[in-house]
Amino acid sequence: GDWIYIVDVETGFVLYKVGSGTANFGSGNVTVNFASVPSEVSAIDVNNDGLLDYVYFGDLLGQLWRLDLRAIRVDSAAATTRWASKLQNNDGTALKPMLVFQAPQPAFPSFKFYPIYYRPTVVYLGVGSGGQPILGVAFGTGDRDDVLATCNPSTRATTYNQRYYFVVDQANSRTVTESTSGMLQIGSSTASATTTIPSVGWYLLLGTSSSTLGERVITDSLAINKYVYFFTQSPAGSNAGGACPPPSTCSIKNGVVRQYTMYYANGNALPPATDRAASVANASFATNPIFYVAADQSGNVAFTTNHGVFTPSKTNEPTRSNVKDWKEN
C-alpha cells in the first residue's frame, strides 16, 4: 500500500505511479520512501479553474505529502509498459511528491508511531511571496487498525500522546517537523489560549489525562468558517489474555468519545469554551462531521454515534451563511 497512482478512469491506463518523494530538512534534498498510505487523498483546486493544483496525503509514519500538479505534461516518449508513469513536470523533470511534514519517527527502544489514517483537510490562507498560495493542512494521528488498543499490550499506544496537526504549507521545498521554529505545541485540550498566529502551524497533544489515555483521531476533519471539527476516541479496554486475536481473550470496555472544535489559525477553542474538546455522552464511536445549510440559511454541523444523530450545541459559530454562487454541470 505504499504507492500513489493516477489512473485514467475510462481505460484503467496508469498515468502516474510513485512510491517515494523528496524531503528537505535544511541540508538539501533527500529521497524518502512512503510508508503505507491508508487514507483518501485531498485533491485541491486552489484558483477554481476546474483543474487540480495539489494533492495531499498522509502515511503510517506520520508523513504528510504534497503532489504539485500545476505544471505537468504527458511524456512525449512512447510508453514502454502499461504501468510506466506518463506524467512529468513541464520542464521535463520528474514529477515527485514533496514531504511537507514529518512526525517523530519510531526509534529504539520506544518505537512510537504516529500514523495518519484519515484524509487531510485543506484550507486556503491567502497568497505569499511570489504569488504562491498558502494553505493550511489539518490532520490527526492514531491507530485505527487496533482502535480499542486491546492487541499487543506491550506496544499499544496508550503510553504516549498522539497528535492533531495544523501545518502551514507555503508551497516551498522545506520539510517541517515538530521542532521547526514557529511550530506551536498545545499541551492539552484545556491549555491556555494563545494571542499569536504561529507562522509554521501548531499541534495538539492528545490523551493527556488519565481518562483519555490512548486518545486518537477516529474521523475525517471538517473545516468551516475559521474552525476545524473532528472526533477522537480514548479506548478504555484492557487485555486479559495476551495478544489478540483468539485464542487469546480480550475484554473491552466502552471508551470516551470527544468532539473537538478549534480555531485553525492558532488552535484556540471555540468561544466561549475554554476546553477545545467536549465529551459525547453515551457514545463509543462517532462518524465524520458534516456541514449543511438549513432552510433558514443557518450553518450547522451534524454527526452520528451509536446512539443517534446529533448537532453540536449552538454557539456563535458557524454563523448564518448565504449562498454566494453556484454552478450546474
Side-chain angles (χ1 to χ4, degrees), residues 65-82:
W65 299 90
R66 177 191 70 232
L67 182 61
D68 190 342
L69 302 176
R70 293 177 299 171
I72 59 174
R73 71 181 186 187
V74 178
D75 189 354
S76 59
T80 55
T81 71
R82 178 179 177 85

Side-chain angles (χ1 to χ4, degrees), residues 63-252:
Q63 300 181 132
L64 176 73
W65 299 90
R66 177 191 70 232
L67 182 61
D68 190 342
L69 302 176
R70 293 177 299 171
I72 59 174
R73 71 181 186 187
V74 178
D75 189 354
S76 59
T80 55
T81 71
R82 178 179 177 85
W83 309 105
S85 295
K86 311 300 186 300
L87 299 181
Q88 59 183 207
N89 292 315
N90 267 341
D91 60 4
T93 58
L95 178 62
K96 298 285 287 185
M98 180 68 201
L99 182 58
V100 176
F101 175 83
Q102 186 182 68
Q105 298 297 284
F108 180 82
S110 61
F111 292 109
K112 297 177 181 179
F113 289 87
Y114 303 93
I116 303 171
Y117 273 99
Y118 291 92
R119 172 184 55 82
T121 293
V122 185
V123 295
Y124 180 73
L125 301 178
V127 178
S129 60
Q132 295 285 355
I134 302 175
L135 302 175
V137 189
F139 56 98
T141 70
D143 189 352
R144 187 181 69 192
D145 182 44
D146 181 24
V147 71
L148 292 178
T150 55
C151 300
N152 301 322
S154 63
T155 59
R156 72 188 192 194
T158 57
T159 58
Y160 60 96
N161 306 108
Q162 294 295 325
R163 270 78 158 144
Y164 191 85
Y165 294 102
F166 184 83
V167 177
V168 178
D169 181 18
Q170 301 190 37
N172 54 29
S173 58
R174 175 183 63 173
T175 301
V176 173
T177 66
E178 289 185 359
S179 60
T180 299
S181 177
M183 175 64 77
L184 171 68
Q185 183 193 88
I186 302 174
S188 71
S189 67
T190 57
S192 299
T194 180
T195 58
T196 61
I197 305 296
S199 59
V200 174
W202 52 265
Y203 67 99
L204 168 69
L205 299 182
L206 302 175
T208 56
S209 68
S210 59
S211 63
T212 60
L213 292 176
E215 183 178 20
R216 77 282 311 277
V217 174
I218 59 169
T219 67
D220 286 341
S221 303
L222 173 68
I224 291 291
N225 200 17
K226 303 178 294 184
Y227 288 88
V228 61
Y229 299 78
F230 62 94
F231 288 84
T232 66
Q233 200 238 22
S234 306
S238 63
N239 186 287
C244 299
S248 299
T249 301
C250 294
S251 61
I252 300 174

Side-chain angles (χ1 to χ4, degrees), residues 40-51:
E40 300 176 27
V41 302
S42 290
I44 307 300
D45 176 9
V46 176
N47 54 11
N48 200 30
D49 63 355
L51 300 175

